[in-house]
Amino acid sequence: MKTDYLIVGAGFFGAVMAERISRVLKKKVLILEKRPHIGGNCYSERDQQTGIEFHKYGTHIFHTNSKKVYDYLGQFTEFNSYYHQVLTTHQGKVYQMPINLETINSFYEVNLKPFEVEDFLKKEKAKETYDNPKNLEEKAISLVGRPLYEAFIKGYTKKQWQKDPKDLPASIINRLPIRSNYDESYFNNGRYQGIPLEGYTAIFEKMLDHPLIEVRNNSDYFALREQIEVKEKTIYSGPLDRYFNYKLGRLEWRSVRFEKKIEAYPDYQGTSVMNYADVEEPFTRIHEPRHLHPERSYPKEQTLLFYEYSQENPEEPYYPVGTEKNHELKKAYQELAQKEDNVLFGGRLGTYAYYDMDQVIGQALAAFESL
Ligand code: UDP
């Protein structure tokens, strides 16, 4: 087999590269994808029983502040008006997440004004101060104090990462804004956001629909690499450590699994994602995908739910685990990667980085420009 470019993985990194290389450089691209479908972890499909579109690997909300990324994706889809909000259940009561003024007022049964929040939390934070927070627990306590940390962050984080928050880096919590107003938006970088009108898979189908692109599903790069002659470059978006056959050791990945349930209600939880903050519930969140498409008229007799559980499964890597040890190992693998002739590494798995979709698309557009 001969190709100009070989791309490993048909997620956003691979798909953007394939789209650009075929259309702009007019070169031949072969994509090898291990899974039976394209789209990586953004893959979406319609549930057979209910007709509701869902994201097989967990709810994915496109959000970005980058006009460049938004305009690029806009060539392949329109977005609906979905705006992401998350709620969390603690001790049987529902609160807003990320922690905002409503969460604080409701949790402490007070009625603070925004300008009173800082002083109120200061008293709480004075009980336990960390000038230089070393881990997720210390960072979270220094932001909101221990009671809010224990209610909304500790249990969820333990379930999600299956690690004590003391053993996790402070940086993870930076993903989560803390607000002293009633802003309920989940994302700080959500200037452009929504769900693609026809789902994510339709975007990938359009991006990869080109005579110079061939996609092979159910195809393992490591089983086929010897048979392929690559004229220009290999673009690899699989797990970084797997590429080197784990020779420096294994990077740690956190995986999740989903349990599907159908309930005979038109609406089960009133929102697309409900987090469960307490360790008593073994799942981290319940997804109800019908809420992702408010513009569609879905059947009212039943609704589709997915219970999300964190798990260990190196075959299905989702999240890089940002501990010091993994960081060092990643750096060592990156040094090897730089020495690899004519191979470009990218994407969440290929760079072992906790990237969102828009960051991966931005990374691929920049990588293409550097080609
Ligand atoms: N987090 C939390 N409580 C929540 C939601 C998030 O403590 O209700 C923390 C948790 O440590 C999590 C991190 O914030 O790993 C980032 O959450 P995010 O929703 O960004 O994770 P993702 O959507 O990528 O799974």
Side-chain angles (χ1 to χ4, degrees), residues 86 88 97 136 152-154 156-157 160-161 172-173 175-176 186 275 277 285 308 319 348 354 356:
V86 174
T88 185
M97 177 55 66
L136 199 155
F152 300 112
I153 297 171
K154 190 177 180 180
Y156 185 91
T157 300
Q160 153 89 359
W161 297 96
I172 293 180
I173 208 69
R175 289 175 64 86
L176 212 59
Y186 197 63
N275 288 358
R285 41 192 172 185
E308 178 177 332
Y319 296 95
R348 203 189 244 216
Y354 195 168
D356 290 330

Side-chain angles (χ1 to χ4, degrees), residues 246-276:
Y246 311 109
K247 70 176 174 192
L248 304 177
R250 280 186 182 254
L251 286 164
E252 212 179 341
W253 300 94
R254 177 115 305 270
S255 186
V256 288
R257 70 182 169 84
F258 296 94
E259 265 176 35
K260 174 179 161 181
K261 222 172 157 188
I262 290 176
E263 292 279 1
Y265 300 109
D267 185 352
Y268 179 75
Q269 62 181 17
T271 192
S272 61
V273 181
M274 175 69 76
N275 288 358
Y276 282 80

Side-chain angles (χ1 to χ4, degrees), residues 14 50 59 77 86 88 112 123 216 223 261 266 310 331 334 368:
T50 59
T59 303
T77 189
V86 174
T88 185
L112 301 173
K123 279 183 221 145
R216 293 201 186 178
K261 222 172 157 188
S310 185
K331 280 207 300 209
Q334 276 177 332
F368 173 73

Side-chain angles (χ1 to χ4, degrees), residues 164-355:
D164 194 300
K166 288 193 196 83
D167 300 325
L168 287 165
S171 61
I172 293 180
I173 208 69
N174 293 340
R175 289 175 64 86
L176 212 59
I178 309 283
R179 304 206 176 100
S180 57
N181 57 24
Y182 291 111
D183 181 354
E184 292 174 55
S185 163
Y186 197 63
F187 305 118
N188 267 349
N189 61 336
R191 178 160 177 202
Y192 307 99
Q193 70 175 289
I195 304 292
L197 276 184
E198 307 301 324
Y200 285 98
T201 303
I203 302 182
F204 289 90
E205 282 164 356
K206 280 194 196 138
M207 289 172 90
L208 301 178
D209 179 23
H210 191 277
L212 287 170
I213 301 178
E214 183 190 348
V215 183
R216 293 201 186 178
N217 287 106
N218 303 305
S219 300
D220 180 7
Y221 166 66
F222 298 100
L224 297 168
R225 66 201 283 184
E226 304 304 332
Q227 302 165 31
I228 303 167
E229 194 187 312
V230 183
K231 283 204 225 139
E232 301 279 349
K233 252 185 204 314
T234 296
I235 292 160
Y236 177 83
S237 66
L240 178 61
D241 52 349
R242 172 72 187 94
Y243 182 88
F244 296 101
N245 205 17
Y246 311 109
K247 70 176 174 192
L248 304 177
R250 280 186 182 254
L251 286 164
E252 212 179 341
W253 300 94
R254 177 115 305 270
S255 186
V256 288
R257 70 182 169 84
F258 296 94
E259 265 176 35
K260 174 179 161 181
K261 222 172 157 188
I262 290 176
E263 292 279 1
Y265 300 109
D267 185 352
Y268 179 75
Q269 62 181 17
T271 192
S272 61
V273 181
M274 175 69 76
N275 288 358
Y276 282 80
D278 305 326
V279 285
E280 288 75 27
E281 281 101 2
F283 43 86
T284 48
R285 41 192 172 185
I286 301 178
H287 304 259
E288 188 170 19
R290 70 180 308 128
H291 296 290
L292 298 173
H293 285 284
E295 77 285 7
R296 293 188 188 176
S297 44
Y298 283 136
K300 301 258 188 279
E301 320 78 70
Q302 49 187 11
T303 190
L304 179 67
L305 302 174
F306 290 94
Y307 288 66
E308 178 177 332
Y309 297 83
S310 185
Q311 68 167 5
E312 195 82 50
N313 180 4
E315 291 307 305
E316 287 278 5
Y318 278 66
Y319 296 95
V321 185
T323 58
E324 197 56 39
K325 188 172 158 234
N326 289 322
H327 188 68
E328 290 305 313
L329 190 54
K330 164 187 160 162
K331 280 207 300 209
Y333 273 121
Q334 276 177 332
E335 275 170 32
L336 291 182
Q338 269 160 16
K339 287 185 205 138
E340 204 67 7
D341 273 346
N342 288 326
V343 184
L344 198 143
F345 293 78
R348 203 189 244 216
L349 306 184
T351 37
Y352 197 70
Y354 195 168
Y355 281 155

